[in-house]
Amino acid sequence: MKITNEIVKNHGLTTLEFKEIKSLIGREPNLVELGIFSAMWNEHCSYKSSKVHLKKLPTKNEIVIQGPGENAGVIDIKDGDAIVFKIESHNHPSYIEPFQGAATGVGGILRDVFTMGARPIALLNSIHFGDVNHKKTKHLLNGVVSGIGGYGNCIGIPTVAGETKFNESYNENILVNAMAVGLAKKDKIFYSKAKGINKPVVYVGSKTGRDGIHGASMASAEFDENSEEKKPTVQVGDPFTEKLLLESCLELMKDKSIIAIQDMGAAGLTSSSVEMASKGGLGIELELNKVPTREQDMTPYEIMLSESQERMLIILEEGKEDYAKKIFEKWDLDFSIIGKTTATNRLVLKFDNETVADLPLSALSDKAPMYERKSKKIKLPKKFDYKDKIKKFEIKDLILKLISHPNFNNKNWITSQFDQLVMGDTILRSGSDAAIIKAHDTNKGIAVTVDSSAKFCAAFPLYGGKQIIAECWRNLIAVGAKPLAVTNCLNFGNPENPEIMGQFTDCLKGMKEACEFLNMPIVSGNVSFYNGTNQKNIDPTPVIGGVGLIANLDRKLIDHKLKKEGNIIIKIGKTFGHLYQSALFLEILNLKDGPPPEVNLTNEKNNGEMILKLISGNLIESCHDISSGGTIMSLFEMAIGGNLGLKINKLKSTQNHIEYFFGEDQGRYLIEVSKANLSKVIELLKKDSIAYQEIATVIKENIELESFFEFKISELDNLNQKWFNDYNAN
């Protein structure tokens, strides 16, 4: 077949890139070879627009065993134990086919984790949808939630935490980010780097079909009015087969049989074989007739580019073939020796006794394009005078509007569809600042959280990047966990747009500064570009998954729920009343201008370390970080969670009540302290010069502030659940 300009374009390659391909291989590629280049050089696999910037991020410290570059990151939690974790996007597939897109996103991230030798112990998600009244939103919401729950529940891994947000920015391009966390022994970590010559290359798992062909390329392009036509590029998942694959791989890993192992994820057999051989500086030869297929007459092109799910590529030690085969056949999975490693540094594909592709591996990996795209510097928005705009509003009315808003409404309708307790190790789950899972057969608690920062990044990405790392830090701190490391999923628009690239680079600068200061390296992650339709891009949405450690679960568990009448609520951190880019301004008053709050990393660190000191000293009863919605929403969440009320102290006359209660200054917490511990807590706060303020007393059933408002907890709880209940009832 003659390769035309149209064929090149349809493969997501530019004219210049095609010219470079011809130069690298010394000839024109055939269609199979073009498909392979298309897969390996697309944005999703090559990171060609982001790699130069990602290299600047902090990825190492004393606990990092494996940083970016493998299937997942690995950190040391002592006693021979390791945590393996990663977050990834499945945005485009989920918009096209929400159930399967979300389901296979969960399946893919699980394989990334157990491929490293870890047993998955928890799932999390960050999902973003368009305006609630948009014609597609309800359909997409229902499909995605069902897909996440359907896959996680069936495979038997708890979905313990997540977030769901609505904003018109995602009307035509939703975000579905899935995170998985696993537990492994640090001396039993498995990698994808091939070693040795003439080692058997083995295909295991499900058979290969035609689903998902060009899935990675589809994820590397904007949507248009024809996006519905891309449904064939969405993979189809089977959680029951994944369970079999998980158990069989972990069983094989008990023996010294595996040299290298790689999930067949994006770009399927192409990316797995190329990456394994390239990392090892070897070549690889595959006989495509030996690949198990479930459809007749599949071509080499289809076999190499299929993204059928629940498949692995393994390089075995010689002599271990029969042993491995028995394991996979016992689990009723396909096992086929489809090739061998070579010393040629080339990818050679054979089909029907003919060579259908012969490419230098360096051209597919090391020499893939890497662009430093033009970027536009994003300026800090100016403040504006809003005093006249807010003075007409009553605090009570604003509270009722905010607590009823879809972004603040109780998400029980969603979380009730996820099994959060399967495996029996979930200690703290959805609704808390972070979830806690017991590391099985130990007394350690693994704290996990997932957070995003679209609104702050859209306004000023440098601050937004700092903020989302700090938010992750606070959420882990609030449950008494020492923050350890993070994984990121960077969801942005078209990188060829200088403004989008400016958002991306400035956001990374902010993340870098915060990660370095707080000693939280980024050990894994994913970049998702081209999120938009017809050149209308999403708001920049970095999503951060964080992992922390509770060394001993014998201590009192801390969550955000109020515990006892008579206890005192203390606010930690300074309140300046920053309303610009707050939930109140954006969601209720439609005031979209102004700068986001600054992030003082010194205060973040000092305040967080003080909270950990108070928790370890058994001096507080509950804790909650102050984030979206400000002080008032955090107070309400504590009250509703504990089914107890609050008598809020009257403010100083000089303080503006709306600024005080709704402002979103960073670095703040609410802590509940018993009267018996109050003097000791205040003494410690003063000693370390931590800003604090006693702001409320726990009472029986009302939340009240003299002359401003009085609510029954039951009324607030009902109101907090009403929108979602009504939305899904219609």
Side-chain angles (χ1 to χ4, degrees), residues 76-78 444-447 476 480-484 547-551:
D76 188 350
I77 58 169
K78 299 183 178 179
K444 300 171 188 173
I446 311 301
L476 295 169
K482 180 184 178 183
L484 297 178
V547 173
L549 179 67
I550 299 172

Side-chain angles (χ1 to χ4, degrees), residues 402 408 455 579 581-589 628-630 662 664:
L402 200 58
F408 289 94
K455 65 179 185 179
L579 286 174
Q581 302 302 323
S582 66
L584 177 67
F585 270 23
L586 295 176
E587 309 284 16
I588 307 303
L589 303 183
S628 188
F662 295 95
E664 296 187 13

Side-chain angles (χ1 to χ4, degrees), residues 79-345:
D79 306 312
D81 297 321
I83 293 295
V84 181
F85 65 106
K86 187 182 182 183
I87 190 170
E88 261 198 351
S89 63
H90 232 222
N91 304 335
H92 288 62
S94 299
Y95 180 74
I96 295 169
E97 212 300 296
F99 182 92
Q100 290 295 348
T104 52
V106 173
I109 200 64
L110 284 172
R111 290 194 299 279
D112 282 341
V113 166
F114 73 75
T115 300
M116 302 291 295
R119 179 169 290 281
I121 60 173
L123 288 163
L124 303 88
N125 56 77
S126 174
I127 50 180
H128 293 68
F129 300 93
D131 184 275
V132 294
N133 296 314
H134 189 270
K135 60 183 180 181
K136 292 184 179 180
T137 296
K138 185 181 288 189
H139 164 70
L140 292 169
L141 173 67
N142 282 301
V144 166
V145 171
S146 296
I148 292 171
Y151 206 100
N153 297 349
C154 288
I155 198 172
I157 296 165
T159 301
V160 297
E163 60 171 5
T164 304
K165 295 183 179 180
F166 300 91
N167 184 279
E168 63 182 6
S169 162
Y170 311 106
N171 278 352
E172 304 297 336
N173 195 124
I174 65 173
L175 302 183
V176 176
N177 293 181
M179 177 178 171
V181 183
L183 185 65
K185 292 296 180 182
K186 72 176 192 179
D187 60 350
K188 292 288 285 184
I189 304 298
F190 290 81
Y191 300 95
S192 58
K193 181 180 178 179
K195 298 177 183 177
I197 308 300
N198 289 320
K199 302 296 183 181
V201 177
V202 179
Y203 172 117
V204 300
S206 290
K207 288 180 169 59
T208 294
R210 291 189 170 96
D211 53 318
I213 294 173
H214 289 303
S217 298
M218 176 267 294
S220 304
E222 283 187 334
F223 286 138
D224 55 30
E225 61 275 2
N226 299 314
S227 61
E228 291 293 319
E229 297 175 4
K230 297 179 180 180
K231 281 189 177 181
T233 64
V234 179
Q235 311 93 327
V236 178
D238 180 354
F240 300 104
T241 300
E242 178 113 335
K243 174 65 173 175
L244 302 178
L245 185 62
L246 184 159
E247 298 297 343
S248 57
C249 285
L250 293 181
E251 183 176 342
L252 182 61
M253 288 169 173
K254 294 176 182 178
D255 183 80
K256 295 181 179 179
S257 301
I258 296 175
I259 297 173
I261 181 169
Q262 176 74 41
D263 162 41
M264 292 191 217
L269 185 54
T270 290
S271 62
S272 57
S273 57
V274 170
E275 289 171 8
M276 293 173 85
S278 298
K279 288 177 181 178
L282 300 174
I284 191 166
E285 183 177 303
L286 303 178
E287 297 182 49
L288 300 184
N289 293 96
K290 295 182 178 181
V291 173
T293 58
R294 64 170 181 261
E295 299 182 49
Q296 291 185 345
D297 302 322
M298 288 190 68
T299 65
Y301 182 97
E302 292 171 328
I303 292 169
M304 290 301 295
L305 296 182
S306 167
E307 294 185 9
S308 294
Q309 299 291 284
E310 295 86 38
R311 303 179 299 160
M312 290 282 184
L313 199 64
I314 302 175
I315 297 175
L316 288 175
E317 292 284 4
E318 291 175 272
K320 292 291 185 176
E321 298 92 332
D322 289 342
Y323 173 76
K325 184 178 181 180
K326 287 179 182 178
I327 290 175
F328 286 98
E329 288 184 345
K330 179 184 73 174
W331 290 98
D332 199 26
L333 295 169
D334 278 291
F335 177 99
S336 180
I337 301 171
I338 66 169
K340 62 183 180 181
T341 58
T342 68
T344 64
N345 295 110

Side-chain angles (χ1 to χ4, degrees), residues 639-700:
I640 292 171
N643 197 29
L644 286 167
L646 288 165
K647 185 176 180 61
I648 301 171
N649 299 342
K650 192 173 180 180
L651 301 186
K652 299 176 182 177
S653 59
T654 57
Q655 291 179 293
N656 180 291
H657 285 68
I658 291 178
E659 289 177 337
Y660 182 87
F661 284 115
F662 295 95
E664 296 187 13
D665 309 290
Q666 299 294 291
R668 301 181 299 161
Y669 303 81
L670 295 172
I671 58 174
E672 179 187 3
V673 183
S674 69
K675 289 183 178 179
N677 288 327
L678 185 60
S679 60
K680 179 65 175 176
V681 169
I682 290 175
E683 180 186 339
L684 289 170
L685 294 172
K686 287 181 176 180
K687 182 182 177 182
D688 285 8
S689 301
I690 302 296
Y692 76 94
Q693 185 180 9
E694 296 179 45
I695 68 166
T697 301
V698 181
I699 58 177
K700 189 172 182 180

